[in-house]
Amino acid sequence: MSEYVIRFLVGGAVVSAFSMLGDVLKPKSFAGLFGAAPSVALATLGIAIHQHGAVYAGAQSLSMMVGAIALVVYSILVCQLLMRAGMRALPATIVSIVVWLGAAFGLWAIAGGQA
């Protein structure tokens, strides 16, 4: 239970810090980028370092980076399918999810992920 309390406190503090950063930046749409995701990732990595050590946290951070790159690939593909190919949202996202999973697992395997 204490892990959840620590995650809540650290995550809340980092969310506040990122929100202040997002509030300073222009345009205001950047505020959402600095909301929950970075703070949850940092809180999770802090707990992973404390409980399992730096090597384990390094593997976790590698997985987070691979997932972020795969999300960028997914987002670009969805935009292209919607804007250029004129697809409807549901088919575009279904096709793109398959590409996202392929990119995520492919990059993870290339980066030395363990099965």
Side-chain angles (χ1 to χ4, degrees):
M1 185 66 169
S2 65
E3 176 183 337
Y4 293 114
V5 172
I6 292 169
R7 191 174 293 201
F8 174 77
L9 293 174
V10 171
V14 178
V15 164
S16 298
F18 276 112
S19 294
M20 287 187 287
L21 177 65
D23 202 30
V24 171
L25 295 174
K26 305 286 186 221
K28 292 298 180 192
S29 60
F30 280 134
L33 293 174
F34 296 107
S39 60
V40 171
L42 289 174
T44 301
L45 286 176
I47 292 169
I49 289 170
H50 177 70
Q51 289 184 344
H52 303 285
V55 174
Y56 177 81
Q60 295 300 311
S61 65
L62 178 66
S63 295
M64 288 179 192
M65 289 186 285
V66 164
I69 293 168
L71 181 61
V72 168
V73 170
Y74 166 84
S75 301
I76 291 170
L77 182 60
V78 167
C79 287
Q80 294 299 316
L81 291 175
L82 292 175
M83 302 300 273
R84 294 192 184 206
M87 288 181 75
R88 298 184 53 84
L90 184 60
T93 55
I94 290 172
V95 167
S96 299
I97 285 175
V98 173
V99 173
W100 174 59
L101 288 171
F105 286 115
L107 288 170
W108 187 65
I110 290 170
Q114 298 174 1

